[in-house]
Amino acid sequence: MTQKKYSILRNLLVAAMIFVGVSGIAQSVSGFNHLKKKYPSTNVVRLNREVIIDIAIKDNDIVIEKTSIDENLFLDESATQFSKESIGYSSFFQIEDVEASSFNIENGEYRENEVKNFMKKDELDGSFFDDVKSINFVYPNVNPGSKTRLLVAAKILNPRFLSSFYFGDSFPVVNAKLTINVDKDIDLDFKQFNTDSLDIEFKKKEKRNKITYSWQAKDVDAIKMEESTPNYKNYFPHVVPIISKYKTDDNKIVKLTSESSDLYKWYYSLIKDINKEPSNPELVSVVEKLTKNKDSEIEKVRAMYYWVQNNIKYIAFEYALGGFIPREANDVFRKKYGDCKDNSSILSEMFEIAEIEGNLTWIGTRSIPYKYDELPTPAVDNHMIFVYKNGDKNYFLDATARFIPLELPTSFIQGKEALVSNDNNKFEIIEVPVIDAEINAEIDSTKIYIENKQLKGSAKRIIKGYSKVDAFQYLESYNTESKLNDFYKNYLQKGNNKFIASNITEINKYDYDKDFIINYDFKISNYIVAGGDEVYVNLNLDQILLTHYIKEDRKTDIEIDYKKSYTFVNELNIPEGYFVDYLPENFKSENNLLSSSINYSRKDNKIIYTHSVKFDFLTLTKSEQKDYLKILKNTEKAYKELIVLKKINTHEK
């Protein structure tokens, strides 16, 4: 970009010194080879990540300038994948200047190629205008051994939005440094997360009216992210600077984020003036029809909540403070779309029309690991819901999802703290419950018989809780007969890949409050093994634990969407002319996180097999995975057990 701003020019010399000093190990082909040998399993190394933040008071307001320098080295042919760069910004984060260059090896030395073309782009999201914009460009001629350098100068326009600084990443980081220069009349607090294993050098210097804080870490190993790993904020080492309060020129103390009440005060200032206009008459009519002839208040709430889920399309977007301020309920009703705040806004208005009390509520999803008392800033939240209280029970209404019954919060806010707005200075922090595994159950019962080498039968599957919500959302997207058949073939599959389901009937499909029931017939070809006078049958038709296998060398925790349980009951008719020669022993293996059991019994001419599994956790830590694997391996052995049937006449001889 052509225009040079004072803030970036002031720090260019510092940046240049950092680049020469830190990146010197890679200024030649030998340096590149050194790092390629040191990090053989990665394709990129961050040579340097430095952020310099200047915070000052001017005309009784806080002014924040931020300069960031990123320098990367690419080690293999995937370098071309990193040639495109995008820098996001909004009205809260204003870009002042950008400089970018690639450095390519020519005759054993690095030569600089400056980026000349920068393109600004408005990020549009469907029907919405999104305030987030981006600056896009391409690094020229990025190849194995190339380096890139990106220097960005920006202004942070709201002091509550100081961003986190991450020392580590999914690739190695040679040098990471955060420097904050701040006026002495500004009180800073700092929260560090996941930094215990790092050797971070912290310095504090005072000079005249300024205090300089700095954190620096070197040679930070790559942080491996695996499938089903919790959000990176749970792993990446980072520091979050917080402006708690400051003193103005006239000695007035302004509190920003000292405690949760400061955050709430700001939040409330953003919502206090919404929905002051008279309700849209059509919306009033909708509420009256929904609540008419309902016997109780909670049934009125249920009807309104389900109407919003079904009629207000959820689309996430943000626009300046619109990212925090709910839109007018009348507008949401008229347009029939909105984000989480807008869905909460129309719920609030509908409750007001129905003369039922409810509360706008801020919350962070499970991707955010912070609590309000440790980080009382907007970084703790990324979502808004609506809370309804009936007696001692809280109902967490989140209309961004479909098919969520009133009794369940959305799965991605389980266990999280919620900041509930009551009035100007009244709020409370309550915790969303974690839903028990038994509520999210799948129960599959079959009646089966043997015909030649085929296993045939009829089955009934009952699906509850979040498992039902997931099934409905999948089914809604499978809008052709072939897609629906493929879904059920995979979802209901038993025994082996020769499983074929037929005569499928759906009961209570898309019903919010009733269990979803699937009745079906099936056959499994070439499943029975016969030898001489004996027939061998494996009744472990649904080996559910094998779909939840984890590697023994896994490095990170495991997160699942919700606790869940499975029960499979298989009732096998003993073929005429045969008796049970061998029935496997019952099996059980469990701890407080995972349980697995298999039971065999005989009743009249039937063998009844019952397999139960319960996943009683949301997060399985690395230390807990050893016991988890032990149960899984024990179950895997039990899955191989066979029933032996023998001809009666052979037995009599």
Side-chain angles (χ1 to χ4, degrees):
M1 300 178 74
T2 57
Q3 186 178 7
K4 302 296 182 183
K5 300 293 184 180
Y6 172 75
S7 59
I8 199 167
L9 290 172
R10 183 179 58 187
N11 291 315
L12 274 176
L13 179 59
V14 176
M17 291 173 63
I18 293 169
F19 184 72
V20 172
V22 175
S23 305
I25 58 173
Q27 291 290 348
S28 62
V29 176
S30 60
F32 160 66
N33 291 333
H34 167 78
L35 287 177
K36 188 172 178 62
K37 184 177 180 181
K38 184 176 180 179
Y39 302 111
S41 60
T42 191
N43 52 16
V44 59
V45 174
R46 173 148 291 166
L47 301 174
N48 185 47
R49 167 65 168 164
E50 172 140 4
V51 171
I52 302 166
I53 300 175
D54 294 305
I55 309 174
I57 299 174
K58 294 182 180 179
D59 299 326
N60 290 331
D61 285 328
I62 290 184
V63 177
I64 305 173
E65 296 179 335
K66 176 181 177 180
T67 302
S68 61
I69 307 105
D70 290 295
E71 300 159 6
N72 296 327
L73 173 67
F74 304 102
L75 302 181
D76 59 23
E77 289 74 12
S78 67
T80 54
Q81 300 176 14
F82 299 91
S83 60
K84 293 183 179 180
E85 185 72 71
S86 181
I87 306 167
Y89 65 99
S90 69
S91 54
F92 286 148
F93 188 79
Q94 179 177 308
I95 299 292
E96 297 289 290
D97 195 16
V98 177
E99 294 181 5
S101 296
S102 60
F103 296 79
N104 302 305
I105 299 173
E106 297 178 12
N107 299 321
E109 295 182 353
Y110 279 98
R111 296 285 183 259
E112 182 176 6
N113 297 284
E114 292 186 24
V115 174
K116 302 294 185 181
N117 297 317
F118 296 88
M119 295 181 59
K120 289 186 177 181
K121 179 183 176 184
D122 288 333
E123 301 294 336
L124 298 178
D125 188 356
S127 304
F128 292 94
F129 172 75
D130 195 321
D131 180 55
V132 174
K133 300 178 176 63
S134 63
I135 296 173
N136 301 272
F137 59 91
V138 177
Y139 290 110
N141 304 321
V142 178
N143 299 299
S146 295
K147 296 184 297 183
T148 59
R149 180 177 66 190
L150 173 63
L151 200 152
V152 179
K155 285 185 178 179
I156 299 173
L157 302 180
N158 189 309
R160 296 173 180 83
F161 290 89
L162 285 179
S163 55
S164 303
F165 179 84
Y166 289 86
F167 297 96
D169 213 311
S170 57
F171 41 77
V173 179
V174 177
N175 182 73
K177 185 175 182 181
L178 169 65
T179 301
I180 300 179
N181 305 303
V182 59
D183 287 357
K184 285 186 175 181
D185 286 334
I186 300 173
D187 287 356
L188 285 185
D189 193 6
F190 308 99
K191 303 292 184 179
Q192 291 189 189
F193 299 91
N194 314 315
T195 58
D196 292 345
S197 61
L198 283 188
D199 182 15
I200 298 177
E201 182 182 9
F202 172 74
K203 293 181 180 180
K204 178 182 178 181
K205 296 180 181 179
E206 297 188 30
K207 187 176 181 180
R208 297 187 181 90
N209 193 41
K210 289 283 185 182
I211 302 176
T212 297
Y213 303 90
S214 67
W215 298 257
Q216 186 171 20
K218 295 182 178 180
D219 296 320
V220 182
D221 291 334
I223 302 168
K224 187 175 182 180
M225 299 295 288
E226 300 164 292
E227 185 179 1
S228 300
T229 297
N231 185 270
Y232 68 92
K233 295 177 182 179
N234 291 273
Y235 293 95
F236 287 11
H238 60 285
V239 59
V240 184
I242 303 170
I243 300 175
S244 57
K245 59 185 177 181
Y246 65 95
K247 184 191 296 184
T248 63
D249 295 336
D250 53 2
N251 292 322
K252 179 182 178 182
I253 301 298
V254 179
K255 293 180 66 178
L256 283 178
T257 52
S258 297
E259 52 193 8
S260 299
S261 58
D262 299 325
L263 178 62
Y264 176 72
K265 183 178 180 180
W266 183 64
Y267 278 169
Y268 187 79
S269 72
L270 303 178
I271 66 166
K272 63 182 180 64
D273 294 323
I274 67 165
N275 296 340
K276 298 298 185 184
E277 296 295 322
S279 302
N280 185 314
E282 293 183 19
L283 179 58
V284 173
S285 177
V286 167
V287 173
E288 290 175 346
K289 289 179 181 178
L290 289 170
T291 58
K292 186 178 181 180
N293 299 325
K294 293 294 186 293
D295 295 332
S296 64
E297 181 178 276
I298 197 166
E299 291 309 310
K300 294 178 182 180
V301 169
R302 189 185 306 275
M304 291 187 292
Y305 182 39
Y306 294 172
W307 184 90
V308 174
Q309 289 189 50
N310 285 318
N311 291 277
I312 306 299
K313 183 179 181 181
Y314 170 70
I315 302 178
F317 70 105
E318 60 183 65
Y319 177 72
L321 282 173
F324 294 88
I325 302 175
R327 287 156 185 82
E328 294 293 322
N330 288 339
D331 291 338
V332 178
F333 175 72
R334 177 174 55 84
K335 297 177 180 178
K336 297 297 189 294
Y337 57 66
D339 63 9
C340 62
K341 301 175 303 301
D342 305 334
N343 286 338
S344 298
S345 174
I346 194 170
L347 276 171
S348 177
E349 185 71 4
M350 293 172 76
F351 272 54
E352 185 76 20
I353 295 168
E355 298 182 348
I356 299 174
E357 185 177 346
N359 306 86
L360 292 172
T361 300
W362 296 266
I363 194 168
T365 63
R366 286 165 55 195
S367 64
I368 296 179
Y370 316 122
K371 292 182 176 293
Y372 286 101
D373 61 353
E374 66 183 355
L375 198 63
T377 78
V380 76
D381 293 317
N382 64 347
H383 197 43
M384 177 173 271
I385 61 175
F386 193 74
V387 167
Y388 163 68
K389 295 188 177 185
N390 188 289
D392 295 331
K393 184 173 176 59
N394 293 310
Y395 293 85
F396 300 89
L397 280 58
D398 182 358
T400 60
R402 281 169 55 75
F403 311 119
I404 296 290
L406 179 63
E407 286 73 18
L408 293 186
T410 41
S411 63
F412 50 80
I413 62 172
Q414 292 179 94
K416 292 292 297 181
E417 290 183 338
L419 181 65
V420 184
S421 174
N422 290 325
D423 204 341
N424 184 12
N425 293 308
K426 294 180 182 179
F427 68 94
E428 59 180 324
I429 296 174
I430 59 178
E431 188 170 304
V432 180
V434 176
I435 302 303
D436 292 339
E438 290 81 3
I439 293 176
N440 310 310
E442 293 194 41
I443 303 165
D444 190 279
S445 303
T446 69
K447 297 182 183 297
I448 52 182
Y449 62 94
I450 297 171
E451 184 179 279
N452 296 323
K453 290 187 177 182
Q454 288 187 335
L455 205 63
K456 291 186 174 182
S458 59
K460 175 181 181 179
R461 179 165 292 198
I462 302 172
I463 308 171
K464 302 169 176 284
Y466 292 133
S467 296
K468 181 187 75 171
V469 173
D470 282 352
F472 284 173
Q473 291 176 350
Y474 281 122
L475 287 168
E476 194 174 37
S477 65
Y478 295 124
N479 51 10
T480 66
E481 184 176 355
S482 62
K483 288 181 179 179
L484 189 63
N485 289 337
D486 288 343
F487 168 77
Y488 276 125
K489 180 181 179 180
N490 294 322
Y491 190 72
L492 301 172
Q493 182 173 322
K494 300 174 181 296
N496 59 34
N497 59 8
K498 297 184 183 297
F499 169 88
I500 297 176
S502 59
N503 300 323
I504 297 171
T505 59
E506 303 162 323
I507 301 173
N508 303 327
K509 186 176 183 180
Y510 301 143
D511 191 295
Y512 280 69
D513 298 307
K514 296 178 182 178
D515 295 338
F516 181 39
I517 300 173
I518 306 168
N519 293 315
Y520 60 101
D521 297 330
F522 68 91
K523 65 178 180 180
I524 310 172
S525 300
N526 298 325
Y527 190 77
I528 303 302
V529 177
D533 295 327
E534 295 180 330
V535 173
Y536 305 92
V537 185
N538 188 331
L539 280 182
N540 295 284
L541 301 180
D542 298 89
Q543 300 182 10
I544 188 67
L545 267 181
L546 297 188
T547 64
H548 293 75
Y549 221 98
I550 60 175
K551 296 180 179 179
E552 294 191 30
D553 61 349
R554 185 181 174 96
K555 304 298 183 185
T556 58
D557 297 349
I558 294 173
E559 183 178 64
I560 62 176
D561 292 336
Y562 47 85
K563 296 181 178 182
K564 49 194 170 184
S565 65
Y566 298 88
T567 302
F568 302 99
V569 181
N570 299 326
E571 187 178 288
L572 172 66
N573 280 328
I574 301 172
E576 186 175 351
Y578 283 83
F579 74 98
V580 179
D581 189 51
Y582 174 76
L583 201 63
E585 293 184 1
N586 292 336
F587 161 83
K588 188 172 185 179
S589 185
E590 64 180 351
N591 59 24
N592 63 329
L593 300 172
L594 175 67
S595 64
S596 175
S597 66
I598 298 175
N599 293 294
Y600 298 88
S601 63
R602 278 179 284 188
K603 184 178 180 181
D604 299 328
N605 67 329
K606 295 180 176 62
I607 297 173
I608 300 172
Y609 161 102
T610 304
H611 178 32
S612 298
V613 174
K614 180 166 73 171
F615 297 88
D616 205 15
F617 63 88
L618 290 182
T619 302
L620 191 68
T621 66
K622 182 66 179 72
S623 61
E624 294 166 339
Q625 291 171 27
K626 182 178 180 181
D627 290 336
Y628 175 96
L629 274 170
K630 183 178 179 180
I631 295 173
L632 194 150
K633 289 180 178 180
N634 289 338
T635 305
E636 186 178 15
K637 292 179 183 178
Y639 282 156
K640 297 176 182 178
E641 292 283 354
L642 302 175
I643 292 170
V644 181
L645 305 175
K646 201 167 186 176
K647 285 186 178 179
I648 292 176
N649 58 357
T650 302
H651 172 64
E652 292 174 345
K653 290 180 182 179

